[in-house]
Amino acid sequence: MNDIEKLLNEEHNRMDSITAPEELESRLRNALDKSAQKKTKGYRKVWKVAAAVLIMTSIVSYNFNAFAYYGKKIFGFDALIDGTLLDLNEAGMGQSVDVRTTLLDGTELMIDGIMSDANQFIMYYTLSNPNGINDTIDLFSRPHITGFLTDSNFNSGTSIINDDQTEIRGMMSFDPVSPFSKKLTLSYWQNATTNGMSEDSITFDYYPDKAMQTEIKQKINKSFKVDQGKITFKSITATPTMTLIKGTMNVDNFDRVSSALDGIELIANGKVIPMIGSGRTTSYNGTTFEIKYDVLPKELESLQLVMNKFVGYEKLKAKYSLDINKTESLVIGEKKMRVNNISTTSEGVEITIATDEEVMLDGVSIETSDGVVPLNTTVRQDMIKQADGTLMKERTLLFDTTNEPHYILIEGMHYMKSYNYEIEISVK
């Protein structure tokens, strides 16, 4: 036996140890049968067929998601989902599970089906109990998915309950699972009657070959300086359920505005892709972030990631007279501030101001005849809708003095600043 024959023999033994998905194995066997009928007997052509099988086996083993997906529609959840997920379900991109168990209070938990791709793992479930399941939130909490090379945390979920309070249909999104997992276990906690919370689990089959294929996955590795740090966009992964941007940042004043990531847009074919969520995680290794957008167009011609706005900081070192009327606005940097009320109570001097909703003032104090008095606390804060439909943030500042204030002093301002950084992402 020469070296080539030894190698093919070893590969033949390896192939025998691999269990291919049922429908794919059937397709391969049919293809080989048809090929055999067309070919004449010959030593070289036999090796060509064997080589083709080796190539196909390698693809099945390590790149299963490159194959077309054959799934099913998950029934009973149309009222729960909409948009992209509803379209995927209508197209039969789900994977039926139909595994059930009974919780401690007699409620039946059924895992109806799943959707899976490289960005997320979505589980559809039903809780039913003819005696009512009003407290089910406490009975089915803190879920977690585990399996071979899989440890997926719960990300989000939603559910609806029927009119007689006996059935809940819900969906949960988890981190993506490993493509090498063939069995998955859902772990959850439920109320035990006497011993507090009790952990339980249910295991079901998973067919990774039925996961939806990734459309774009590439590194970005582009960094930008901002006023108080740096932000780096690391990667983009586009799948049938969402488009995910991952990155890192070291920005001191990130928390000083409510939604600093909202000013980052993904633009495909010249149109803005809707953002569906964002989040940040901080550990001793640093801070990472994720921005989730809706799916990309099927026919993709161009793709840009644009950081229109992000949290910024402007030093002011400004002193403003409080001898103004309520309709007059003070200019603070590139923003405006309105003083709506000044009063003195038993707690001290209260000054009510209004600014754009994302503005946070830094180092605020007042000047009286007795000197400078720093801000003690903010006692009220509301979002006020203006006549033009915009929102302004109104808050009341409390200073520990009863002396009449003449000036308000502001050291600086955190706000959503225009940066207009743009990254061109290859779509070829």
Side-chain angles (χ1 to χ4, degrees), residues 59-339:
I59 294 172
V60 170
S61 300
Y62 304 114
N63 297 284
F64 60 86
N65 60 0
F67 285 92
Y69 169 72
Y70 309 97
K72 295 180 180 178
K73 179 177 179 179
I74 304 170
F75 292 98
F77 292 86
D78 287 359
L80 187 68
I81 57 179
D82 57 12
T84 297
L85 292 182
L86 181 59
D87 293 340
L88 290 172
N89 194 36
E90 289 292 336
M93 304 300 279
Q95 183 178 148
S96 294
V97 175
D98 294 336
V99 171
R100 63 191 71 199
T101 188
T102 302
L103 304 181
L104 292 175
D105 72 336
T107 298
E108 182 186 78
L109 162 63
M110 176 170 157
I111 301 177
D112 298 82
I114 60 171
M115 286 183 181
S116 178
D117 62 24
N119 275 337
Q120 62 178 329
F121 178 88
I122 302 172
M123 184 187 77
Y124 297 89
Y125 67 93
T126 301
L127 290 162
S128 56
N129 189 332
N131 298 320
I133 47 177
N134 292 330
D135 297 324
T136 298
I137 295 298
D138 295 329
L139 299 173
F140 182 49
S141 62
R142 288 186 281 170
H144 194 72
I145 296 284
T146 55
F148 182 65
L149 298 176
T150 294
D151 188 8
S152 298
N153 292 314
F154 169 77
N155 290 323
S156 62
T158 185
S159 62
I160 53 175
I161 190 167
N162 64 352
D163 292 339
D164 57 5
Q165 309 284 302
T166 58
E167 181 182 275
I168 286 179
R169 287 186 180 266
M171 58 164 287
M172 296 180 182
S173 172
F174 297 84
D175 293 337
V177 302
S178 168
F180 298 101
S181 294
K182 293 189 176 181
K183 284 189 179 296
L184 297 173
T185 297
L186 169 71
S187 299
Y188 53 91
W189 290 81
Q190 56 181 316
N191 276 334
T193 53
T194 57
N195 298 318
M197 299 296 288
S198 173
E199 187 176 19
D200 209 337
S201 63
I202 180 173
T203 298
F204 54 92
D205 292 332
Y206 173 59
Y207 300 96
D209 56 298
K210 295 180 179 178
M212 292 176 281
Q213 69 185 58
T214 298
E215 296 164 351
I216 291 178
K217 185 173 186 177
Q218 61 180 272
K219 294 181 179 178
I220 298 176
N221 290 333
K222 185 75 174 179
S223 299
F224 297 109
K225 287 184 178 180
V226 293
D227 286 346
Q228 292 195 338
K230 183 177 76 171
I231 182 170
T232 301
F233 298 93
K234 303 291 286 188
S235 66
I236 179 172
T237 303
T239 64
T241 63
M242 73 162 76
T243 305
L244 182 65
I245 300 291
K246 289 186 175 182
T248 61
M249 62 178 165
N250 182 10
V251 180
D252 291 342
N253 63 337
F254 178 79
D255 288 330
R256 298 306 180 95
V257 299
S258 60
S259 303
L261 297 173
D262 286 0
I264 301 171
E265 293 184 339
L266 185 65
I267 300 176
N269 298 345
K271 296 182 178 179
V272 175
I273 303 297
M275 182 185 291
I276 57 178
S278 63
R280 179 191 61 152
T281 302
T282 299
S283 68
Y284 65 90
N285 289 324
T287 299
T288 62
F289 69 87
E290 293 183 347
I291 310 175
K292 299 175 181 178
Y293 299 93
D294 206 346
V295 297
L296 299 178
K298 292 296 182 185
E299 301 296 330
L300 190 59
E301 299 175 352
S302 64
L303 188 62
Q304 295 92 29
L305 188 62
V306 181
M307 195 168 92
N308 287 323
K309 291 186 176 181
F310 193 68
V311 59
Y313 183 80
E314 182 174 355
K315 288 184 179 179
L316 296 173
K317 297 284 187 182
K319 180 178 179 179
Y320 302 94
S321 173
L322 293 174
D323 186 21
I324 58 175
N325 60 54
K326 294 181 181 178
T327 60
E328 185 178 354
S329 293
L330 301 173
V331 178
I332 52 171
E334 61 182 64
K335 299 291 182 179
K336 291 183 178 180
M337 181 179 76
R338 200 169 61 228
V339 178

